[in-house]
Amino acid sequence: MQFDTASPIWVQLVEEFSRRIVTGDWAAGTKMPGVRELAADLGVNPNTAQRALAELERLELCRSERATGRFVTSDEERIDEVRADLATDAANAYVRRVRGLGMTRDRARALLEKRWDSHDDHTTTDADTGDA
């Protein structure tokens, strides 16, 4: 994962972990990787990973069980709410970018529909988001 200097790393981790939950990479009700494992995989300090996981708990996307670890919420309605929030953020970013390019609504919609129909990969990549 590549980090952006525009927001704190732990905030970016919350977004990444939320994405993993809503896409099913971390299925509802399943045990999540441990703090040390996540930190090592992502190349961040364990305290940073811990802060992000604590925020996921505050957002009710996971829960801690003493001596057994963290688990993804089983609340599918909560997961759907977060999925909608992430999609709204992506839509807002798209609108800002195409307006900045001087594109009309009809042209932007046509472009989105064309990309939607031709896009084989349903996961988020840097190329999809425009992130470097």
Side-chain angles (χ1 to χ4, degrees):
M1 181 173 174
Q2 195 170 25
F3 297 105
D4 182 358
T5 57
S7 62
I9 293 173
W10 73 270
V11 171
Q12 294 174 61
L13 291 177
V14 170
E15 292 171 3
E16 173 62 18
F17 297 164
S18 297
R19 185 198 62 77
R20 291 179 184 190
I21 291 169
V22 303
T23 61
D25 288 347
W26 293 347
T30 62
K31 186 172 181 179
M32 297 169 65
V35 172
R36 292 191 203 308
E37 180 184 347
L38 286 170
D41 287 348
L42 297 168
V44 299
N45 185 297
N47 292 333
T48 303
Q50 177 61 39
R51 185 170 182 185
L53 291 170
E55 182 64 10
L56 282 185
E57 284 189 50
R58 190 189 72 72
L59 295 171
E60 300 177 355
L61 286 174
C62 70
R63 68 183 188 291
S64 291
E65 293 184 10
R66 189 174 291 267
T68 57
R70 267 193 190 82
F71 294 82
V72 175
T73 184
S74 296
D75 184 349
E76 293 287 346
E77 187 174 312
R78 179 66 188 128
I79 292 171
D80 283 342
E81 289 171 2
V82 173
R83 182 179 292 115
D85 289 345
L86 292 171
T88 297
D89 291 345
N92 289 340
Y94 177 72
V95 169
R96 275 191 307 276
R97 291 182 80 170
V98 297
R99 279 186 173 171
L101 295 170
M103 203 175 264
T104 66
R105 178 189 304 203
D106 288 340
R107 179 69 182 116
R109 182 179 295 131
L111 178 61
L112 181 60
E113 288 175 2
K114 179 180 177 184
R115 292 296 302 144
W116 186 277
D117 292 340
S118 67
H119 201 266
D120 293 336
D121 183 12
H122 298 286
T123 60
T124 302
T125 64
D126 291 343
D128 293 333
T129 62
D131 295 339

